[in-house]
Amino acid sequence: MDDEPLSEWAERRDAKIGRLRAVPIVSGDGPRAWHLHPDAPRAIERWNGHA
C-alpha cells in the first residue's frame, strides 16, 4: 500500500469545506441513519473542516 502525500490529503479535505448535509434529529446516542428515522426532522450541517 502506498502512502498518500499529506498535501493531496489536505486538498481533498479542503474541497469538502462548506458542503451541506441533512442529519436526522434523534435523541440518544444511537444510529442517526435516515432510513432508521424516515419521519424525523432534519438539521442542516455545514462542514467547516473540523466538525
Side-chain angles (χ1 to χ4, degrees), residues 6-41:
L6 184 58
S7 60
E8 289 180 17
W9 173 83
E11 272 184 47
R12 266 189 312 132
R13 184 201 61 200
D14 291 345
K16 295 179 182 178
I17 292 176
R19 285 199 181 160
L20 301 176
R21 70 178 187 157
V23 181
I25 301 172
V26 294
S27 60
D29 293 331
R32 300 189 316 173
W34 68 269
H35 65 281
L36 298 176
H37 306 283
D39 297 328

